[in-house]
Amino acid sequence: MSTASSGKAGLREWAGLAVLALPTLLLAMDNTVLFLALPHLTVDLDPSSTQMLWIMDVYSFLLAGFLIPMGSLGDRIGRRRLLLAGTVVFGAVSALAAYSTSAEMLIVTRALMGVAGAALMPSTLSLIRNMFTDAKERTTAITVWMGCFILGIVLGPLLGGVLLESYWWGSVFIIAVPVMVLLLAAGLLLLPEYRNPEAGRLDLTSVAFSLAATLPVIYALKKIVNDGFGWLPLVCLLAGLVSGVLFLRRQRRTDEPLIDLALFTNPAFGSSLCVLTFSMCVMGSTFYLFTQYLQLVQGLSALRTGLWLLPAAAVMMLGAGAVPQLAQKIRPGVLIGSGLLVSSVGLVILAQVDADSSRWLLIAGFLVLMVGLTPIMILGVDMIVGIAPPQKAGSASALSETGSEFGVALGLATLGSVCTAVYRSELESLPDSTPAGAAEGIRDTLASAMAVSEELPARLGAQVATAAQEAFVSGMQASALTGAGLVAVTALLALVLLRRVPLVAELTTEDDAPAAVPVER
């Protein structure tokens, strides 16, 4: 029986949380399993280098772009309805992706998966906001939600490795189908419907400005990661910023905005979003660089890499479980700021890792980093969705997700560029016998350098591989130290900007508008 209407969640709400964990877990695994499948699908589909980049990036590209429109759409048509519609589409296009017969077909299906994923993520979080109206229970529910996301990131390489050892590359996509079928059936049975009773029509002009603001910026950041700075990323960034200004002007003037800018008048809302975005910069780039280190420097398979990350994941889950209890006694600004300072120490530890270091040093640094990030990952999201009135939970959830996506993309572009710059600088001088045609591939990325080294004579190949690995480690160390500085500054921002925010349980929303209402089925 549900008791959510009286302030406390009942059995149905907690069972519904288990249902909402399914898409969270699956979407977190999506990109990590794709990385494992790339060598296998390359043999069958023979994509060009440009097509390969689109296969990898188009999903997250469109996911980030459509989060805000989808969050606002959920407020209007109902969060459960949008979640289940996204479930059907995601499952169907996952099946199509698994049986793609060309690179173009896979790119299109990955794009559609990104749009469907944008319908799933804010819907899960906004439903949690409405199902758990008690502040303490909501914090606990978001902790479970975030724990599933963390677990999905770690389980991705494990599941992908197991599937690819026994099945074809399409199995990493087809696994989504039974999960989506289960989500559809359980969602119809257990999830309540909520929507904004006073929401008007979706403002398509605002949608267009939103897409024009987010898509070029995300594309530019990804372009910088792959090719470095150039005129095209600069033009895209400028176009995105201009569109962003037009979007904000539209939100102030229209009667039906996608985002209620009044939310930002609450210092805790805007400050939490800012701190969360900068924190995700470090998380995304560090996870990428250090999984590359384990595979390309230490020579581990993706499956063994996932196994080595399990201890860190287990400790993070335990740490996440402690956050709701700590949040009842320690103000968010102090808890988040202190956690970020701990994370900066973890990055300093990671900066000590070299090519011959024990893997336990790497895991210890990664563990300290992620434990320190846990408070902002939970409380930051909790404050963003908790401060927003229930009828605007979809828009607030979309802002939280968009901030995280931007943070990861920005981190890869900035901290990843630091690593790349140092890597290429240290490889300016290659052995004299290195063929001129091979030098460009060696200086491109560590992965391409290792591939080139295997085609060279044994002695020269070993020299090139060692030089490339050492250069990558130097870049990784520089990136970690830069990240430590960024996290320390973000910690100070949290301590200053969130200093007056009360305990999470005391946060209330002063809003005269009616709450999102349950919809009878």
Side-chain angles (χ1 to χ4, degrees):
M1 177 180 177
S2 172
T3 57
S5 59
S6 62
K8 292 290 185 179
L11 180 60
R12 182 181 176 188
E13 280 73 35
W14 291 108
L17 179 62
V19 175
L20 295 176
L22 292 174
T24 306
L25 192 66
L26 184 67
L27 293 178
M29 291 192 298
D30 186 83
N31 268 336
T32 54
V33 296
L34 177 63
F35 289 144
L36 300 185
L38 285 176
H40 302 268
L41 66 86
T42 299
V43 175
D44 285 351
L45 303 183
D46 191 27
S48 66
S49 58
T50 301
Q51 288 173 330
M52 183 70 78
L53 289 175
W54 277 108
I55 290 171
M56 289 189 293
D57 291 340
V58 71
Y59 169 83
S60 57
F61 181 55
L62 291 179
L63 174 70
F66 277 89
L67 280 169
I68 290 176
M70 288 296 185
S72 183
L73 181 63
D75 287 340
R76 288 163 167 77
I77 69 171
R79 287 81 187 250
R80 189 188 71 148
R81 180 180 295 178
L82 182 63
L83 175 71
L84 298 182
T87 297
V88 172
V89 175
F90 195 93
V93 295
S94 293
L96 290 175
Y99 293 98
S100 293
T101 55
S102 66
E104 293 83 359
M105 181 178 176
L106 184 56
I107 291 170
V108 171
T109 53
R110 289 284 295 164
L112 293 173
M113 288 172 67
V115 176
L120 295 174
M121 291 306 290
S123 297
T124 61
L125 197 50
S126 57
L127 281 169
I128 288 174
R129 169 65 178 91
N130 288 116
M131 291 161 58
F132 298 91
T133 56
D134 178 80
K136 294 180 181 179
E137 291 184 339
R138 187 184 64 243
T139 302
T140 301
I142 290 177
T143 299
V144 173
W145 179 84
M146 185 59 70
C148 290
F149 183 81
I150 295 170
L151 188 61
I153 293 174
V154 176
L155 287 181
L158 297 177
L159 179 62
V162 171
L163 289 173
L164 291 171
E165 284 185 1
S166 304
Y167 305 101
W168 91 116
W169 60 265
S171 61
V172 301
F173 296 118
I174 206 71
I175 192 64
V177 176
V179 176
M180 292 295 104
V181 170
L182 178 60
L183 173 60
L184 184 63
L188 286 169
L189 180 65
L190 295 172
L191 294 178
E193 179 65 286
Y194 293 93
R195 60 176 175 80
N196 183 354
E198 294 189 348
R201 298 177 61 184
L202 189 67
D203 181 24
L204 295 181
T205 302
S206 292
V207 171
F209 281 140
S210 173
L211 294 175
T214 53
L215 292 179
V217 173
I218 292 292
Y219 175 78
L221 294 175
K222 289 184 175 293
K223 190 73 174 174
I224 291 169
V225 173
N226 293 322
D227 303 323
F229 290 94
W231 67 268
L232 182 57
L234 180 60
V235 170
C236 289
L237 284 173
L238 291 175
L241 290 175
V242 170
S243 298
V245 172
L246 295 175
F247 174 74
L248 292 177
R249 289 184 60 187
R250 178 72 178 180
Q251 301 315 290
R252 291 192 184 99
R253 297 178 179 181
T254 183
D255 293 331
E256 301 295 341
L258 294 186
I259 297 174
D260 183 3
L261 298 182
L263 292 172
F264 289 90
T265 61
N266 187 321
F269 185 89
S271 300
S272 298
L273 186 59
C274 175
V275 173
L276 177 65
T277 299
F278 282 117
S279 300
M280 293 304 291
C281 284
V282 176
M283 178 182 172
S285 60
T286 303
F287 185 84
Y288 172 76
L289 291 176
F290 284 91
T291 52
Q292 292 285 296
Y293 170 86
L294 284 173
Q295 293 180 75
L296 298 176
V297 177
Q298 294 266 329
L300 300 185
S301 66
L303 181 60
R304 291 186 64 197
T305 297
L307 289 172
W308 271 95
L309 290 175
L310 280 179
V315 174
M316 286 169 59
M317 298 289 283
L318 292 173
V323 169
Q325 284 70 40
L326 292 173
Q328 305 307 314
K329 300 177 182 179
I330 305 174
R331 288 195 172 200
V334 175
L335 187 54
I336 291 171
S338 301
L340 291 174
L341 289 175
V342 170
S343 289
S344 67
V345 174
L347 285 164
V348 172
I349 294 173
L350 290 174
Q352 311 310 309
V353 173
D354 58 34
D356 300 319
S357 294
S358 166
R359 290 172 199 150
W360 288 111
L361 178 63
L362 175 78
I363 298 305
F366 190 72
L367 188 153
V368 173
L369 166 69
M370 297 305 291
V371 167
L373 287 176
T374 301
I376 180 60
M377 292 171 66
I378 294 172
L379 297 182
V381 173
D382 190 18
M383 286 190 289
I384 291 168
V385 300
I387 290 169
Q391 72 273 14
K392 297 172 183 175
S395 298
S397 300
L399 280 172
S400 172
E401 294 290 338
T402 302
S404 297
E405 289 291 330
F406 265 109
V408 171
L410 184 61
L412 287 172
T414 54
L415 299 181
S417 294
V418 169
C419 180
T420 299
V422 173
Y423 172 80
R424 291 174 178 171
S425 174
E426 295 210 356
L427 288 179
E428 283 297 322
S429 299
L430 292 170
D432 294 335
S433 55
T434 304
E440 183 177 352
I442 294 169
R443 296 190 182 104
D444 186 20
T445 64
L446 177 59
S448 64
M450 299 304 288
V452 169
S453 69
E454 293 178 358
E455 299 175 358
L456 298 174
R459 183 177 178 182
L460 177 59
Q463 291 176 334
V464 166
T466 300
Q469 288 172 334
E470 291 177 350
F472 177 83
V473 168
S474 297
M476 184 181 67
Q477 293 169 341
S479 178
L481 289 175
T482 305
L486 175 61
V487 171
V489 171
T490 305
L492 294 178
L493 284 176
L495 291 169
V496 172
L497 296 177
L498 300 174
R499 68 186 184 279
R500 292 192 176 93
V501 178
L503 296 174
V504 173
E506 299 172 3
L507 284 172
T508 57
T509 301
E510 298 296 334
D511 196 292
D512 294 329
V517 296
V519 178
E520 295 297 331
R521 290 173 290 172

